């Protein structure tokens, strides 16, 4: 007797889009009945934002509001507004985030912008605005960095970004191809993506638990031009995948996510590190980053492209001269295997191990969420107005775990986990 196997029919675009919105709300945001929700979305992503609103109500949200963004409006200001006006921000936009968080609500952002949007404008203007925004936004950012609320980041195609990713395609085809890439990276193109995500999150939890149990004193990255020792914060904890708010709401901050990460010790980073992928930062592409650290602090920083933007990023404050995150990602991650460069850190950081300049997540130090800042700094945690991830991993990079007594063991070889 023989049987004929049938291949499940491919999902339609609308089915994938609904899957994506459901993932964002159910797995990403973890909305609970009675919560209010703030959705932040570019106008070009309105169809997805509307589905997210409906999914949030279906999950029991009491009130869902949307704050719209637009690249053209942003660009017009940086091109045409007068000098001296860029320390002015729309406080009501930040107030909406803080009001939602203080009310026990949840915030989801659809982050999509043209990576080269501000590449040709005066970077002094950009830096002034970003510093003013980060300063005013700090009370909300501190809640994000301590997981006081359930929050989530996703993305969606917009024409300028899509054509940068797929320069040989027509505008419409580039958007279509970018949707395919996003659906694949988030598993939204599968019949039951929620089940797949539950399995994936369980795998990330096992890995972060193993690493926390190792209690390494430092990680040593070597390969190519990189030879970097990253000391780890005292009593550090590894994160990865899902997290919990103090009220017990489980959420997954980034979709997609393939990383496990922890807090470096702000005073124990030494050596040279070279980027393995470009960084899209505030509308400027920075490539060929080479940074040297001594006793935790950046002592030199160069880039083949985007030097001015890199310099201004590091100059944000004292904390931006130090590291706030070190993350491990296998070279065989789905995003890496796709061979695509997204020009978007949400995706690109999940294709390679990376480090972040700036503030550390308080929950990466045991007891760090509730301890005074002075004690957090003493434990090795870092504090800054900024937090910028950039990629340092590849199949040429090995990582060792270094114990307090100096003994070491392999953690990654040729970009793959061996523990």
């Amino acid at each position: 007797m023989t049987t004929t196997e049938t291949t499940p029919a491919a999902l339609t675009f609308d089915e994938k889009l609904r899957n994506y919105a459901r993932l964002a709300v159910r797995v990403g945001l973890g909305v609970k009945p009675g919560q209010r929700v703030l959705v932040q979305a570019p106008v070009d992503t309105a169809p997805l934002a509307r589905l997210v609103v409906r999914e949030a109500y279906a999950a029991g949200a009491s009130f869902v509001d949307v704050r719209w963004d637009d690249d053209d409006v942003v660009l017009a200001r940086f091109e045409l507004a007068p000098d001296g006006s860029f320390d002015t921000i729309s406080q009501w936009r930040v107030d909406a985030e803080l009001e939602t968080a203080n009310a026990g609500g949840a915030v989801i952002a659809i982050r999509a912008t043209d990576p080269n949007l501000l590449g040709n404008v005066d970077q002094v203007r950009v830096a002034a605005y970003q510093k003013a925004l980060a300063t005013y936004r700090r009370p909300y950012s501190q809640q994000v960095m301590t997981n006081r609320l359930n929050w989530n980041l996703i993305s969606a195609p917009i024409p300028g970004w899509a054509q940068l990713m797929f320069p040989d395609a027509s505008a419409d085809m580039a958007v279509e191809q970018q949707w395919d890439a996003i659906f694949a990276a988030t598993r939204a193109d599968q019949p039951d993506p929620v089940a797949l995500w539950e399995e994936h999150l369980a795998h990330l939890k096992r890995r972060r638990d193993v690493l926390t149990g190792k209690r390494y004193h430092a990680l040593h990255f070597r390969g190519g031009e990189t030879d970097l020792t990253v000391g780890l914060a005292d009593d550090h904890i590894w994160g990865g995948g899902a997290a919990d708010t103090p009220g017990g709401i489980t959420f997954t901050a980034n979709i997609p996510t393939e990383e496990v990460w922890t807090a470096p010790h702000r005073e124990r980073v030494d050596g040279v590190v070279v980027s393995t992928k470009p960084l899209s930062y505030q509308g400027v592409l920075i490539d060929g980053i080479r940074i040297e650290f001594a006793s935790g602090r950046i002592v030199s920083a160069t880039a083949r492209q985007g030097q001015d933007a890199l310099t201004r990023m590091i100059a944000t404050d004292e904390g931006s001269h130090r590291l706030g995150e070190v993350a491990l990602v296998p070279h065989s991650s789905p995003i890496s295997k796709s061979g695509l460069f997204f020009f978007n850190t949400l995706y690109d950081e999940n294709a390679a191990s990376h480090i972040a300049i700036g503030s550390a997540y308080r929950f990466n130090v045991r007891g760090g969420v509730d301890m005074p800042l002075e004690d957090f700094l003493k434990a090795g945690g870092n504090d800054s107005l900024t937090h910028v991830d950039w990629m340092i991993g590849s199949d040429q990079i090995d990582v060792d775990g270094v114990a307090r007594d100096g003994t070491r063991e392999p953690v990654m070889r040729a970009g793959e986990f061996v523990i």
Side-chain angles (χ1 to χ4, degrees):
M1 181 178 179
T2 60
T3 59
T4 302
E5 293 185 0
T6 59
T7 301
L11 301 183
T12 66
F13 175 82
D14 287 346
E15 288 171 331
K16 295 174 187 176
L17 194 64
R18 284 195 295 271
N19 274 352
Y20 192 31
R22 189 171 298 113
L23 278 173
V25 171
R26 304 282 179 162
V27 176
L29 206 55
V31 174
K32 296 302 179 187
Q35 274 198 301
R36 61 183 294 179
V37 175
L38 174 65
V39 181
Q40 303 172 64
V43 292
D44 286 323
T45 68
L48 174 60
R50 293 173 187 135
L51 283 176
V52 168
V53 169
R54 290 185 173 274
E55 285 291 340
Y57 278 124
S62 60
F63 171 61
V64 186
D65 201 4
V66 180
R67 195 198 76 184
W68 299 102
D69 302 308
D70 183 73
D71 268 4
D72 286 342
V73 172
V74 172
L75 182 59
R77 180 183 184 190
F78 285 103
E79 287 181 336
L80 303 173
D83 288 337
S85 68
F86 291 93
D87 58 353
T88 300
I89 64 167
S90 297
Q91 294 183 355
W92 64 269
R93 297 170 69 83
V94 180
D95 291 345
E97 296 174 322
L98 190 59
E99 178 186 341
T100 302
N102 288 342
V107 177
I108 181 170
I110 303 173
R111 291 281 176 83
T113 190
D114 181 344
N116 284 327
L117 182 69
L118 304 180
N120 294 318
V121 303
D122 185 348
Q123 292 303 300
V124 174
R125 294 180 166 204
V126 177
Y129 171 76
Q130 290 295 337
K131 188 163 187 176
L133 177 62
T135 301
Y136 188 78
R137 198 170 180 259
R138 189 173 179 83
Y140 173 72
S141 298
Q142 288 175 331
Q143 295 206 42
V144 169
M145 300 299 283
T146 55
N147 282 346
R148 295 286 185 185
L149 74 156
N150 45 321
W151 58 280
N152 174 256
L153 299 180
I154 58 172
S155 199
I158 60 172
W161 177 26
Q163 289 212 278
L164 188 62
M165 274 191 71
F166 302 101
D168 297 329
S170 66
D172 289 344
M173 183 58 68
V175 169
E176 183 177 330
Q177 289 178 326
Q178 193 176 35
W179 268 124
D180 288 342
I182 288 174
F183 288 149
T186 60
R187 302 169 174 83
D189 58 352
Q190 301 300 308
D192 190 358
V194 171
L196 292 176
W197 267 91
E198 289 173 349
E199 179 182 346
H200 177 55
L201 293 174
H203 172 71
L204 290 176
K205 183 181 186 302
R206 288 191 295 270
R207 177 157 286 158
R208 79 188 192 212
D209 288 347
V210 168
L211 286 166
T212 297
K214 292 288 187 179
R215 300 181 64 82
Y216 292 130
H217 187 62
L219 296 176
H220 181 208
F221 293 79
R222 67 183 187 278
E225 297 179 62
T226 290
D227 187 353
L228 182 74
T229 298
V230 180
L232 301 182
D234 299 341
D235 212 8
H236 62 273
I237 299 171
W238 285 80
D244 296 309
T245 69
I249 298 175
T250 300
F251 69 101
T252 305
N254 292 349
I255 291 183
T257 184
E258 305 288 339
E259 65 178 313
V260 288
W261 77 93
T262 194
H265 195 292
R266 65 190 305 273
E267 296 179 351
R268 293 197 287 105
V269 180
D270 295 276
V272 173
V273 61
V274 176
S275 63
T276 53
K277 293 179 181 292
L279 166 66
S280 178
Y281 173 71
Q282 296 178 357
V284 179
L285 201 62
I286 308 175
D287 197 11
I289 300 171
R290 184 186 188 278
I291 292 183
E292 182 179 356
F293 290 86
S295 299
R297 200 175 193 278
I298 293 172
V299 294
S300 70
T302 60
R304 288 195 306 270
Q305 177 182 343
Q307 177 68 55
D308 187 50
L310 176 64
T311 300
R312 292 187 182 281
M313 175 179 71
I314 294 169
T316 300
D317 54 26
E318 173 56 30
S320 57
H321 289 76
R322 302 178 184 273
L323 292 186
E325 178 184 327
V326 57
L328 301 178
V329 179
H331 182 67
S332 58
S333 78
I335 297 172
S336 177
K337 287 196 295 187
S338 76
L340 295 171
F341 181 62
F342 281 80
F343 300 90
N344 182 308
T345 302
L346 176 62
Y347 290 88
D348 295 325
E349 73 170 5
N350 288 298
S353 294
H354 52 273
I355 52 180
I357 287 171
S359 197
Y361 289 99
R362 289 293 198 99
F363 51 78
N364 281 137
V365 173
R366 197 173 305 279
V369 169
D370 297 314
M371 67 176 53
L373 176 59
E374 181 180 357
D375 292 341
F376 182 67
L377 296 177
K378 286 181 180 178
N382 195 36
D383 184 60
S384 173
L385 289 173
T386 193
H387 179 99
V388 183
D389 300 90
W390 52 285
M391 287 58 72
I392 66 170
S394 74
D395 60 357
Q396 305 299 309
I397 299 294
D398 294 336
V399 182
D400 283 349
V402 184
R404 189 170 293 275
D405 64 4
T407 59
R408 57 179 59 215
E409 67 178 7
V411 175
M412 303 183 89
R413 288 293 180 265
E416 299 298 332
F417 281 103
V418 293
I419 60 169

